[in-house]
Amino acid sequence: MDEFKEKSIDLATQEMLKKAQDENINTAWDRLELQQPQCGFGQLGLCCTVCNMGPCRIDPFGEGPQSGVCGANADTIAARNLARKIAAGASAHSDHGRDVAHTLSLLADGHTHDYEILDVEKFRDLASEFGINIDKPKEQIVKELSKRLLEEFGKQDGELVFCKRAPKKRQNIWKSLNITPRGIDREVVELLHTTHMGVDNDYKNIINTGMRCALSDGWGGSMVATDVQDIILGSPKPVRGKVNLGVLKEDYVNIVVHGHEPILSEMAVKASMDPELVNLTRRAGAQGINLAGICCTANEVLMRHGIPVAGNFLQQELAIITGAVEVMMVDVQCIMPALHEIASCFHTKLITTNPKARFPGVIHVEFEPKHAYEVAKQIIKTGIENFSNRNKERVNIPKQEMDLVAGFTKEIVFQILGGRYRATYKPLNEAIISGRLRGLAGVVGCNNPKQTHDYFHTTLVKELIKNDVLVLQTGCSAIACAKQGLLIPEAAREYAGKGLQEICEAVGIPPVLHLGSCVDNSRILTAASYIIAEGGLGEDLSDIPAAGAAPEWMSEKAITIGFYFVASGVYTVFGASPFATLGSKNLSDYLTGQLEEVVGAKFEFCDDPLKMAHLMINHIDNKRKALKLKPVMY
Amino acid sequence: MKQLYYDVDKCLGCKSCEIACAVGHSATKDLFKALKEERVSLPRKKVMHTRGKNYPVSCRHCKDPKCVDACMAGALSYDKEKGIVLHDETRCVGCWMCVMVCPYGAIRPNIKTRIPLRCDKCKDKDEPDCVKACPTGAVIWQEEVEIKL
């Protein structure tokens, strides 16, 4: 098993990788090996494919060409390549937000009856935030609010409404740099324009435009997604759940939801309890329907319903390799094209649901918000019918499953800390001011087979909580730590430093808080703004003793998240390999140095999780010193 | 005795062999770190392009090496057993005579260090790094064969 230990620290993953090898099935790890060596020009960001005079490459050793056919040098090429990734990442999050806002507008116009306003308080707060008079019938408010939300995408001037959530000082920094996002779609388009052949050649200016685009995601598209999902699907509350491949059940019809948008999977949760389907399941000889999730769709249904999580990004293929999955229903983002081939090795039916994300030769059941419940029912029915095709001899479900507590939001943190009737962030601020808590860390992001799966996430987070840093998590990073038992209150006693332990025991929370999917990183931004509003920890997000990290990142969305964190003033450390910018010394030095003078935060790249933790802890300590806070208590 | 051969119909000109060569001869053996070394390691192999085809070019380790004859400092010698032209960098004076006489243009001057860059067949490894780096199999490492024209 030694060769598998290098691939993942997770026992369930190791077991499935062994099975894959025995059955001659290729996974992402094998494909990574086949891709070696990966192109050095690509890794350094020095290959430009923007125009048809190219492709051009800059010689990283300084002997050969130092500019492309058009004359673009390493700085311009690397910055443009990075900017295009920021645009793609922002597009993914923001388009998700648009779909959710669109569902709200269908609800407003009576075109869908499968959704309703579930969090009335948040709905009213949001309407007020948009300046809508809430002393009128609910239907009227929904109409106005959904119109205003959708307008945020197409706005040309002014600024995004959510930008006002940021501390005044931060808003002023954005204004002085001219990077306040105006319209969600506009910033993506403008950024792509600047990277066209022969437009922007100043790497610093390209990064500025990139930051504005990233902000239109963090304080725009992602925030719309999170807030509207909370309104129509219900705001999460602390909930118990289970995680890892062991949540798949042998005698049940296993339906795995995978992707990012919860609008349909929410209906799958409802439909899995439909009496008609339950009856059908019994007739098919199964004990029941077992719904489980992968990636951020999993996080969404976990946060709201405690639906078990089968695994994170690198476990999507392995879930099918258990041989026990009847249907894998996918929506958008982070769905490996390899799933089709893997599914064809088993009875598993892969079903695509989003018109934007299709595979040739794969069953497509298109999701329409108008008939959401019916679509979900149809998909689950396919799963039940497929149960009889399962080859029981090829079923191997790993035993590993772990308990976890998820469902923390910026609102819930208020209530837990201050109580429902005097909801406040005061106790949190005071814990940091008094030094019981060193500070806060946001640890987020993907998996990447270039690193030992889950090792970076868990090693980093354990070191942070040992040093009294409260960790906020989203996405596949949260799932990684959950699998290692860090998301249960008892983890405080085992892993946390004394100060953090005292807090966790007093309020009954885990030392690591699961805030949801990757669009829910917007919850971290708003929570940080509340901390500033509460007082005592400076006037800007960059004053808070806090840091961010994406230890095992792989997607373009991770780059965008990094940029909106940094542009919001949060020092952010990336693991795995750095952004593809090392071919340009100027750009790399700018991102990891000078940028701090511009926006009050910078990037760091580090390939050792313990070093990452101490970079973050040092940063937190420096911020404590700058605020003249007492030394850390323990 | 193994020798480097090239299937030029397969060479896409990606220059992965160049990068692998430079990294393989660096102190850190890591792409990202190699660029930051004080004495930047340079590739000993270059992909040339002519008449629609790409030709990876590096020292052929000739049996009758013109460069060894031309070396006035005695820094070059031919090791018959290994079939390799050895280069003692400590004796090299950077006169570039080897660069001038090479019939293949396979030796390049490194102006900064004043020492020529030449392939050493990655002599301490089982096979040269350029062979491993080639994504299409255009770089071939095999026993020497006589080519009949």
Side-chain angles (χ1 to χ4, degrees), chain A residues 36-41 43-44 46 57 59-65 577-578 582-583 607, chain B residues 13-16 18-19 22 31-33 35-36 40-43 46 108-109 117 132-133:
Chain A
Q36 296 311 311
Q38 288 171 311
C39 173
F41 295 97
Q43 290 181 66
L44 296 170
L46 292 178
R57 284 158 304 169
D59 182 351
F61 307 106
E63 289 182 300
S577 38
L582 286 188
D607 56 6
Chain B
C14 73
K15 304 185 183 181
S16 295
E18 289 187 18
I19 290 188
L31 173 64
F32 300 147
K33 289 175 188 142
L35 291 182
K36 292 180 182 163
V40 176
S41 167
L42 297 176
K46 278 276 164 184
R108 300 185 306 119
L117 292 157
K132 291 191 198 103

Side-chain angles (χ1 to χ4, degrees), chain A residues 407-607:
Chain A
F408 295 93
T409 62
K410 60 183 192 288
E411 293 85 357
I412 283 294
V413 173
F414 261 129
Q415 292 175 4
I416 291 174
L417 295 168
R420 183 175 282 274
Y421 297 103
R422 48 183 182 88
T424 170
Y425 266 67
K426 205 162 187 197
L428 177 65
N429 283 28
E430 277 175 359
I432 298 175
I433 293 167
S434 67
R436 183 162 277 120
L437 212 58
R438 187 184 296 266
L440 303 170
V443 181
V444 306
C446 337
N447 292 140
N448 189 331
K450 288 180 177 175
Q451 293 159 305
T452 306
H453 170 233
D454 291 350
Y455 169 72
F456 269 57
H457 289 302
T458 50
T459 312
L460 168 65
V461 168
K462 277 183 192 164
E463 189 67 13
L464 288 171
I465 58 178
K466 191 174 111 189
N467 286 281
D468 292 320
V469 176
L470 178 67
V471 176
L472 311 177
Q473 289 212 283
T474 61
C476 289
S477 185
I479 301 176
C481 291
K483 281 187 281 178
Q484 301 298 320
L486 297 176
L487 268 62
I488 42 174
E490 296 78 7
R493 209 174 312 139
E494 195 170 339
Y495 300 105
K498 194 151 182 262
L500 178 57
Q501 225 176 77
E502 285 174 3
I503 290 168
C504 291
E505 277 167 16
V507 285
I509 52 168
V512 180
L513 302 181
H514 189 339
L515 270 71
S517 65
C518 46
V519 288
D520 291 336
N521 283 318
S522 62
R523 294 193 205 274
I524 300 180
L525 295 177
T526 332
S529 304
Y530 282 142
I531 289 170
I532 291 301
E534 187 62 50
L537 289 173
E539 296 169 352
D540 191 359
L541 302 177
S542 55
D543 297 335
I544 307 175
E552 299 181 20
W553 74 283
M554 63 90 204
S555 78
E556 289 165 315
K557 291 180 291 174
I559 296 180
T560 316
I561 294 167
F563 269 94
Y564 71 63
F565 267 97
V566 167
S568 300
V570 184
Y571 170 76
T572 303
V573 190
F574 273 67
S577 38
F579 296 159
T581 59
L582 286 188
S584 158
K585 190 174 180 307
N586 286 336
L587 176 59
S588 304
D589 290 351
Y590 183 64
L591 295 175
T592 56
Q594 233 183 320
L595 198 56
E596 189 159 29
E597 293 155 32
V598 182
V599 291
K602 60 177 183 175
F603 286 99
E604 197 72 70
F605 301 100
C606 178
D607 56 6

